[in-house]
């Protein structure tokens, strides 16, 4: 059965528990829930620091510290007033600066329900460009801060600003124990239909594998998240205040009340119960909250005096309880997601799936660094009060998941700030890893410390410590199963001898470094010494453990317009990047026992290496793109296009934040008639880890794995494309205020390097291969190096196994994190879906007793996904669907009890535990 694949690069021109007395019923008065809020972007037009302090006012107004100061003061003046806050990255900073009397006041406001935390993550994360591992982490650090500081847990997901919404986010909110989620953006056609048919409240059935435990009540807000037209009372708004002195001629109470009642009744027509939510706030509002609250006090009082409707200060959680109290209320369901987002016929927000590809790649790398760092901290039982820690990288990664961070929709100086924060955290985590690896490796207290270093530029063949050929390499594997893979190490001379931990010689293939890579290393580092790359396989590196490989240098024998948000090409046509306009490439090939590769140079700014490894089930494509030329005055978007003869029937599949696969059908939406005005951009979807097409008759699947989030599609049957780079000359007028024109280190334009892995196999076998390889690509082992310089290997343990037995292949070690001297946070997740072959989708069991070598487990407490409250304490509201189903289902997981502490995992399940430990001697 013949299947051919061709690969080319193309460019496109361009919560507190409250007792509520709730009334419901057809004849009940309309309840209008006034929700004062501020939406504080954790970086966008300004950096996190600039937004917090109110700096750089020439770009934008806004100071979070003054917002919180003002709100706390004004809440204390009227016990009816309420306010919600979301972004813990800002709140924790403000909290740390407050004196005890202010902290006590905040505690009282939280206890009374006047101040409520909603969402509760470190940020309001993007939903397209984020990986589920990082989503859970950033939510977890925020939720745990709230629980530890105030003893409460948020109950509402509040994703009011992200540009499209993923199924995994809905699943995660349900597993966090939330009762509802609310958002503001959806496709303009979908929005209009739901507005006109009163379908803005649904049950989102987000995970077929998990079933109804993942179901969540979901509401689309009416006016995005702004105040209703005419009723914004922020210091930057121009709407008239409530003027109520009847001795003066400017009294406007009656007109304002009449206008508000009309606005409320109009909004109510789009919802099914006698409750509506009115968001009163916006971006960085409430810096002078007195103006807001005094006008809202008057508005509520005078409207209620009228008697036509009932207006109250409220919160999303209170509103959810009111809606839930209507026992006659039945909800329709939805099982697909809310991508792509468009706010007008020619305005598809799909460009940001790829925007700032270098930052997207760095965020993904830092996730792997962070997981390894946390694991080693846990194995070491912490680093002491004054030691280095993973906290800075945890917080930097939390900030980086923001919907104007990893999304690539921020200003350039803000993107630089995100990268700087990640680098600072990464440096400290490297200190953690070096310390722990040294301690694990040393045989006795007198063994000299290895001076371990980490090479930041291995992807462009730069690593000074290895270039001389006389080095040792520590490979740390953070997976829960043994790792076998190939490493590429830069060296100066041609020959090299590598020894495995058991002392046997390792086959090595030495490959000349390409001119493209040399030029890159010269641009980035200003120097290039290595002439070759030593390629060799590291085999069966232990799970949550390391292996040391040694090279002996002494034995060498010889030498509206596209913009940051919007993707809108000039036409559906693509153009080859090759200088001969036919996309023909200059090619050279290298053949060897370990790998064979073809180096393709399409143009001075586009090249690709195609690699085949011995005994590896995928073809590796390493691309180098940039600087994208713009002398012709045209912005460009570069795609990698793969063509096969598979009959894919307009259907392709993309992942949801690295978890469940989402079925996509070209020019089609399952819940509404789709009128696609943009045949390319309107069919682009976020691809976090993989995209594939299938030929059902042949039983063949073609999969592409990527190493960072990108936009992708199948525009024609049998094809797959992924956008890898963008350079644009105009702002798309969506708020960032500058074109996406990254200049790179030399000022000539950003150069990026990334990887795609191609898998062609049967549908059943692909299910296993794609999951395993995606896990490896996400959690690439950490490599650290030291010069030998007389290093005596007999002083060191050359291998360490962190687990007594590998985890099953269908189980992923998601989190192993030190909380204190006796407590570890553990997450395990099932990697397969219920529709995958039975061998892999079957329930997996993991025996925790004696699983970890470094410590003994004494007690296990199961938590919600956020790690902030016991699973047994989650009591979720129940809803009725139009199919007469009661959702969500209960968390009836098999208990984890001693002495064996066996964890049972069904497909796509993630289970979270606090484990009480005792360190082994």
């Amino acid at each position: 059965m013949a299947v051919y694949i061709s690969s080319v690069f193309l460019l496109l021109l361009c919560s507190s528990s409250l007792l509520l007395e709730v009334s419901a019923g057809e004849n009940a008065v309309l309840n209008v829930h006034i929700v004062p809020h501020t939406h504080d972007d954790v970086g966008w037009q300004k950096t996190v620091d600039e937004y917090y302090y109110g700096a750089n006012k020439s770009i934008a107004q806004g100071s979070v510290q003054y917002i919180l100061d003002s709100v706390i003061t004004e809440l204390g003046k009227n016990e009816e007033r309420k306010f919600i806050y979301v972004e813990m990255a800002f709140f924790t900073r403000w909290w740390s600066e407050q004196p005890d009397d202010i902290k006590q006041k905040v505690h009282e406001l939280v206890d009374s329900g006047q101040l409520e935390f909603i969402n509760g993550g470190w940020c309001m994360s993007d939903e397209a460009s984020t990986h589920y591992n990082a989503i859970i982490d950033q939510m977890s650090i925020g939720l745990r801060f709230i629980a530890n500081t105030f003893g409460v847990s948020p109950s509402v997901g509040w994703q009011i600003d992200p540009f499209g919404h993923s199924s995994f986010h809905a699943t995660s909110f349900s597993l966090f124990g939330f009762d509802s989620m609310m958002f503001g953006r959806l496709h303009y056609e979908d929005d209009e239909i739901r507005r006109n048919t009163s379908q803005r409240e649904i049950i989102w059935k987000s995970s077929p594998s998990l079933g109804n435990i993942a179901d969540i009540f979901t509401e689309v807000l009416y006016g995005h998240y702004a105040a209703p037209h005419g009723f914004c009372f922020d210091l930057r708004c121009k709407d008239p205040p409530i003027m109520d002195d009847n001795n003066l001629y400017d009294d406007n109470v009656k007109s304002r009340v009449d206008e508000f009642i009309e606005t409320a009744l109009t909004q109510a027509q789009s919802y099914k119960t006698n409750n509506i939510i009115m968001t009163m706030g916006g971006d960085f509002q409430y810096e002078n909250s007195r103006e807001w609250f005094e006008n809202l006090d008057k508005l509520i009082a005078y409207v209620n005096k009228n008697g036509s409707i009932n207006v109250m200060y409220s919160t999303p959680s209170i509103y959810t309880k009111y809606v839930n109290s209507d026992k006659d209320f039945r909800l329709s369901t939805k099982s697909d997601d809310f991508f792509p987002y468009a706010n007008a016929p020619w305005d598809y927000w799909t460009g940001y799936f790829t925007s700032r590809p270098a930052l997207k790649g760095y965020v993904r790398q830092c996730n792997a660094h962070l997981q390894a760092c946390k694991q080693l901290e846990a194995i070491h039982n912490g680093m002491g009060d004054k030691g280095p820690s993973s906290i800075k990288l945890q917080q930097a990664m939390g900030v980086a998941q923001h919907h104007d961070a990893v999304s690539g929709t921020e200003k350039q100086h803000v993107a630089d700030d995100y990268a700087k924060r990640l680098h600072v955290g990464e440096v400290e985590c490297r200190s953690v890893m070096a310390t722990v690896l040294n301690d694990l490796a040393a045989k006795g207290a007198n063994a000299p410390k290895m001076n371990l270093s980490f090479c930041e530029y291995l992807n462009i063949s730069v690593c000074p410590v290895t270039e001389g050929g006389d080095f040792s390499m520590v490979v740390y594997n953070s997976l829960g199963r043994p790792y076998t893979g190939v490493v590429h190490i830069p060296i100066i001379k041609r020959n090299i001898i590598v020894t495995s931990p058991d002392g046997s010689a390792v086959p090595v293939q030495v490959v000349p470094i390409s001119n493209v890579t040399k030029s890159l290393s010269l641009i980035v580092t200003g120097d290039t010494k290595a002439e070759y790359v030593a390629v060799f396989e590291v085999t069966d590196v232990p799970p949550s453990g390391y292996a040391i490989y040694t090279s002996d240098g002494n034995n060498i024998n010889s030498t509206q317009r596209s913009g940051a948000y919007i993707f809108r090409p000039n036409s559906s046509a693509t153009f080859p990047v090759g200088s001969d306009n036919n996309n023909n490439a200059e090619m050279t090939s290298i053949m060897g026992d370990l790998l064979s590769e073809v180096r393709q140079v399409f143009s001075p700014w586009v090249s690709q290496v195609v690699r085949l490894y011995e005994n590896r089930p995928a073809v590796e494509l390493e691309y180098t793109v940039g600087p994208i030329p713009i002398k012709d005055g045209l912005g460009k978007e570069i795609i990698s296009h793969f063509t096969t003869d598979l009959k894919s029937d307009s259907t392709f599949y993309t992942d949801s934040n690295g978890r469940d696969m989402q079925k996509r059908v070209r020019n089609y939406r399952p819940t509404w008639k789709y009128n696609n005005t943009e045949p390319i951009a309107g069919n682009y979807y976020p691809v976090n880890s993989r995209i594939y097409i299938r030929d059902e008759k042949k039983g063949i699947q073609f999969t592409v794995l990527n190493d960072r989030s990108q936009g992708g599609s199948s525009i024609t049957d049998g094809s797959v494309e992924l956008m890898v780079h963008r350079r644009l000359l105009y702002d798309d007028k969506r708020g960032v205020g500058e074109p996406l024109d990254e200049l790179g280190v030399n000022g000539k334009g950003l150069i990026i390097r990334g990887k795609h892995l191609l898998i062609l196999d049967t549908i059943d076998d692909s299910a296993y291969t794609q999951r395993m390889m995606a896990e490896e690509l996400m959690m690439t082992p950490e490599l650290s190096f030291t010069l030998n310089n007389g290093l005596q290997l007999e002083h060191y343990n050359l291998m360490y196994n962190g687990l007594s037995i590998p985890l099953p292949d269908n189980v992923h070690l998601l989190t192993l994190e030190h909380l204190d001297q006796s407590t570890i946070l553990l997450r395990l997740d099932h990697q397969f879906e219920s529709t995958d072959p039975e061998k892999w989708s079957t329930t997996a069991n993991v025996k925790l007793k004696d699983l970890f070598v470094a410590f003994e487990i004494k007690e296990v407490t199961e938590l919600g996904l956020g790690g902030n409250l016991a699973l047994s304490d989650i009591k979720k509201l129940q809803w009725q669907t139009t199919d007469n189903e009661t959702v969500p289902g209960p968390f009836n997981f098999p208990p984890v009890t001693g002495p064996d502490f066996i964890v049972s995992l069904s497909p796509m399940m993630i289970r979270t535990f606090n484990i009480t430990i005792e360190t082994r001697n």
Side-chain angles (χ1 to χ4, degrees):
M1 185 178 297
V3 178
Y4 73 88
I5 304 170
S6 64
S7 167
V8 297
F9 275 95
L10 301 171
L11 64 88
L12 300 172
L13 302 180
C14 322
S15 115
S16 295
S17 178
L18 299 178
L19 291 176
L20 301 173
E21 186 175 340
V22 179
S23 63
E26 291 184 8
N27 299 319
V29 172
L30 176 68
N31 295 311
V32 180
H33 296 255
I34 297 294
V35 177
H37 80 104
T38 180
H39 176 59
D40 297 342
D41 289 299
V42 186
W44 177 35
Q45 297 174 325
K46 303 198 298 186
T47 67
V48 180
D49 289 346
E50 289 171 340
Y51 274 134
Y52 181 75
Y53 288 110
N56 216 340
K57 286 184 171 66
S58 62
I59 294 178
Q61 183 69 28
S63 170
V64 175
Q65 63 174 335
Y66 301 135
I67 291 171
L68 290 168
D69 287 343
S70 179
V71 165
I72 297 306
T73 299
E74 292 301 315
L75 287 177
K77 294 180 179 179
N78 181 347
E79 64 182 13
E80 297 298 318
R81 293 173 176 176
K82 289 182 171 56
F83 194 81
I84 64 170
Y85 200 74
V86 174
E87 295 85 5
M88 291 302 104
F90 283 132
F91 187 87
T92 55
R93 177 183 294 196
W94 178 85
W95 178 257
S96 68
E97 298 173 352
Q98 303 312 303
D100 289 342
D101 61 325
I102 297 297
K103 287 185 176 181
Q104 178 60 33
K105 189 175 182 180
V106 174
H107 271 285
E108 293 170 359
L109 292 171
V110 172
D111 291 342
S112 69
Q114 283 188 262
L115 176 63
E116 184 172 331
F117 298 108
I118 299 294
N119 223 49
W122 209 241
C123 71
M124 185 184 296
S125 65
D126 180 48
E127 299 197 31
S129 305
T130 44
H131 193 276
Y132 78 96
N133 197 163
I135 293 168
I136 294 169
D137 276 356
Q138 76 87 13
M139 287 294 295
S140 184
I141 57 174
L143 291 171
R144 294 200 332 251
F145 165 80
I146 295 170
N148 293 338
T149 308
F150 299 102
V152 299
S153 302
S155 62
V156 178
W158 187 252
Q159 291 290 104
I160 57 176
D161 200 27
F163 329 118
H165 303 281
S166 73
S167 292
F168 177 74
H169 265 83
T171 297
S172 69
F173 287 153
S174 186
L175 297 181
F176 290 139
F178 291 179
D179 287 316
S180 64
M181 68 172 292
M182 301 176 186
F183 61 78
R185 298 185 192 266
L186 76 166
H187 193 284
Y188 68 97
E189 287 185 328
D190 195 6
D191 185 58
E192 183 177 5
I193 292 168
R194 293 182 182 279
R195 187 182 296 258
N196 294 334
T197 60
S198 301
Q199 295 289 327
R200 302 182 78 78
E201 308 115 317
I202 60 170
I203 292 296
W204 192 347
K205 304 183 78 65
S206 59
S207 177
S209 294
L210 290 176
N212 63 12
I213 65 169
D215 295 353
I216 191 166
F217 170 74
T218 304
E219 176 162 318
V220 183
L221 298 175
Y222 188 80
H224 195 187
Y225 57 84
H229 179 71
F231 293 92
C232 180
F233 303 116
D234 196 66
L235 58 86
R236 283 167 283 174
C237 294
K238 298 179 180 179
D239 297 340
I242 309 297
M243 296 179 284
D244 59 347
D245 188 339
N246 55 19
N247 295 315
L248 300 177
Y249 294 108
D250 290 331
D251 185 308
N252 66 356
V253 170
K254 185 179 185 306
S255 63
R256 299 260 64 200
V257 167
D258 290 345
E259 183 182 352
F260 184 83
I261 292 173
E262 181 181 1
T263 297
L265 292 175
T266 299
Q267 179 175 332
Q269 295 174 15
S270 295
Y271 296 87
K272 287 187 173 181
T273 74
N274 62 311
N275 293 276
I276 61 171
I277 190 170
M278 279 191 175
T279 50
M280 290 291 182
D283 291 359
F284 298 97
Q285 294 193 7
Y286 285 79
E287 225 173 322
N288 176 9
S289 60
R290 178 185 175 187
E291 186 172 353
W292 259 114
F293 280 117
E294 289 197 358
N295 280 280
L296 289 176
D297 287 347
K298 292 178 182 180
L299 184 66
I300 292 170
Y302 286 120
V303 172
N304 285 342
K305 188 175 181 180
N306 176 280
S308 298
I309 59 177
N310 179 43
V311 188
M312 69 188 89
Y313 280 115
S314 188
T315 68
S317 63
I318 294 174
Y319 168 79
T320 299
K321 291 182 174 72
Y322 267 75
V323 173
N324 182 258
S325 70
D326 186 344
K327 300 307 178 185
D328 295 324
F329 185 34
R330 296 292 184 269
L331 289 152
S332 60
T333 62
K334 176 184 173 70
S335 57
D336 59 318
D337 61 14
F338 289 91
F339 284 118
Y341 167 63
N343 69 306
W346 298 278
D347 299 343
Y348 277 83
W349 298 44
T350 54
Y352 81 97
F353 299 163
T354 299
S355 295
R356 301 196 187 278
L359 179 63
K360 281 180 166 64
Y362 189 38
V363 170
R364 185 62 57 83
Q365 292 170 25
C366 284
N367 179 68
H369 300 329
L370 177 58
Q371 305 315 314
C373 182
K374 290 196 297 184
Q375 284 187 18
L376 285 166
E377 269 184 317
I379 289 170
H380 198 262
N381 201 12
M383 304 298 294
D385 293 337
K386 297 182 180 180
S389 80
S390 63
I391 292 175
K392 284 184 181 178
L393 187 54
Q394 288 186 50
Q395 295 180 350
M397 277 292 291
V399 167
Q401 307 315 307
H402 169 58
H403 59 268
D404 282 306
V406 68
S407 59
T409 53
E410 64 277 67
K411 284 185 179 292
Q412 183 64 57
H413 82 286
V414 181
D416 295 340
D417 183 70
Y418 289 135
K420 180 179 180 180
R421 291 170 185 275
L422 290 169
H423 180 71
V424 170
E426 192 180 24
V427 168
E428 186 159 342
C429 256
R430 285 171 178 159
S431 181
V432 171
M433 290 190 277
T435 299
V436 178
L437 290 171
N438 261 308
D439 286 351
L440 292 175
K443 288 181 178 178
N446 296 324
K449 298 294 184 184
M450 295 183 289
N451 185 23
L452 291 174
S453 60
F454 297 80
C455 294
E456 294 184 89
Y457 299 116
L458 269 180
N459 68 325
I460 55 172
S461 299
V462 175
C463 183
V465 73
T466 70
E467 289 171 353
D470 188 17
F471 64 91
S472 291
M473 177 180 72
V474 182
V475 184
Y476 181 75
N477 171 29
S478 56
L479 298 176
R481 56 189 173 88
Y483 173 84
T484 295
V486 178
V487 296
H488 295 237
I489 308 300
I491 54 176
I492 295 175
K493 296 183 179 181
R494 188 173 186 88
N495 284 353
I496 187 173
I497 295 174
V498 176
T499 304
S500 71
D502 64 5
S504 60
V506 176
V508 181
Q509 184 176 342
V510 177
V511 178
I513 297 175
S514 69
N515 291 331
V516 171
T517 299
K518 285 182 180 179
S519 64
L520 264 179
S521 60
L522 191 61
I523 291 171
V524 174
T525 67
D527 189 20
T528 176
K529 294 180 180 178
E531 295 288 333
Y532 305 95
V533 170
V535 182
F536 57 93
E537 189 174 62
V538 294
T539 306
D540 290 330
V541 181
S544 296
Y546 69 79
I548 298 179
Y549 286 75
T550 303
S551 167
D552 186 355
N554 295 323
N555 291 328
I556 293 177
N557 298 317
S558 61
T559 66
Q560 273 69 278
R561 289 171 165 145
S562 285
Y565 298 93
I566 303 295
F567 172 32
R568 191 169 186 231
N570 289 350
S571 72
S572 299
T574 57
F575 301 86
V577 297
S579 56
D580 61 1
N581 210 38
N582 288 314
N583 217 64
N584 293 327
E586 297 177 9
M587 292 192 293
T588 57
S589 61
I590 294 175
M591 308 296 289
D593 293 334
L594 292 178
L595 89 158
S596 298
E597 66 179 37
V598 176
R599 298 173 176 178
Q600 303 169 310
V601 178
F602 296 94
S603 75
W605 54 278
V606 178
S607 63
Q608 178 173 263
V609 180
V610 182
R611 295 191 180 101
L612 288 172
Y613 293 103
E614 183 73 16
N615 298 322
R616 298 288 284 175
V619 177
E620 179 181 288
L621 273 64
E622 183 181 69
Y623 55 84
T624 305
V625 179
I628 298 174
I630 54 173
K631 290 183 179 180
D632 56 5
L634 294 173
K636 299 174 181 67
E637 287 149 325
I638 313 305
I639 66 172
S640 184
H641 185 88
F642 306 94
T643 304
T644 77
D645 63 356
L646 298 179
K647 308 299 182 186
S648 52
D649 194 25
S650 300
T651 302
F652 57 105
Y653 299 80
T654 64
D655 66 285
S656 178
N657 304 113
R659 293 291 282 169
D660 305 71
M661 298 303 296
Q662 303 292 303
K663 182 179 180 180
R664 313 294 190 185
V665 180
R666 201 178 311 121
N667 298 321
Y668 172 78
R669 300 293 184 270
T671 54
W672 46 284
K673 186 177 180 180
Y674 182 46
N675 177 32
N676 189 8
T677 53
E678 289 286 333
I680 305 298
N683 283 304
Y684 256 62
Y685 293 88
V687 180
N688 300 129
S689 64
R690 56 200 175 280
I691 180 174
Y692 62 73
I693 56 175
R694 287 173 166 176
D695 189 320
E696 298 289 349
K697 290 185 177 179
K698 292 181 178 178
I700 298 294
Q701 177 174 311
F702 173 62
T703 308
V704 184
L705 306 178
N706 55 354
D707 64 352
R708 69 201 68 193
S709 294
Q710 295 167 327
S713 187
S714 174
I715 299 300
T716 58
D717 279 1
S719 74
V720 170
E721 64 184 58
L722 286 163
M723 187 185 295
V724 300
H725 202 355
R726 317 175 74 215
R727 189 178 187 183
L728 306 165
L729 305 183
Y730 301 96
D731 178 40
D732 55 13
K733 307 301 182 186
R734 291 303 182 277
V736 72
E738 65 185 30
L740 184 68
D741 184 14
E742 298 183 273
L743 299 181
V745 294
N746 64 356
K748 296 180 180 179
L750 181 69
I751 303 171
I752 59 107
R753 172 168 283 182
K755 289 182 181 180
H756 290 146
L757 301 182
L758 313 184
I759 302 169
L760 182 67
D761 210 334
T762 65
I763 292 175
D764 281 355
D765 288 346
S766 293
Y768 176 78
T769 306
Q770 68 173 354
R771 293 282 179 184
M772 296 298 100
M773 298 206 74
E775 183 192 32
E776 291 178 5
L777 195 57
M778 179 186 73
M779 302 294 289
T780 304
E782 298 293 320
L783 305 182
S784 55
F785 305 90
T786 184
L787 291 171
N788 286 339
N789 283 342
L791 203 67
Q792 302 296 314
L793 294 181
E794 61 269 19
H795 292 158
Y796 303 97
N797 302 303
L798 299 185
M799 188 173 286
Y800 172 81
N801 196 331
L803 302 183
S804 61
I805 185 173
L807 295 178
D809 282 355
N810 53 5
V811 175
H812 173 58
L813 177 59
L814 185 63
T815 304
L816 187 67
E817 180 177 344
H818 171 83
L819 298 182
D820 57 48
Q821 291 297 303
S822 61
T823 314
I824 298 289
L825 182 67
L826 172 69
R827 287 192 186 94
L828 299 174
D829 72 276
H830 195 301
Q831 300 199 83
F832 287 78
E833 296 181 68
S834 58
T835 53
D836 287 329
E838 184 179 357
K839 180 179 180 181
W840 308 114
S841 61
T842 189
T843 297
N845 293 311
V846 177
K847 180 180 175 182
L848 296 184
K849 180 179 173 59
D850 299 327
L851 176 64
F852 298 96
V853 172
F855 50 81
E856 182 180 355
I857 297 175
K858 296 297 186 179
E859 187 178 345
V860 174
T861 302
E862 184 154 16
L863 310 175
L865 181 60
N868 58 319
L869 76 169
L871 192 71
S872 59
D873 290 338
I874 297 178
K875 310 296 182 185
K876 299 176 69 171
L877 297 177
Q878 297 293 293
W879 305 87
Q880 298 295 315
T881 72
T882 52
D883 297 325
N884 293 319
E885 183 184 10
T886 301
V887 297
F891 291 153
N892 289 334
F893 305 151
V896 180
T897 57
D900 289 337
F901 302 113
I902 294 175
V903 179
S904 181
L905 294 160
S906 59
M908 286 287 105
M909 176 51 65
I910 306 173
R911 297 184 70 177
T912 306
F913 306 94
N914 266 356
I915 56 176
T916 303
I917 65 164
E918 185 177 285
T919 304
R920 298 183 194 274
N921 294 327

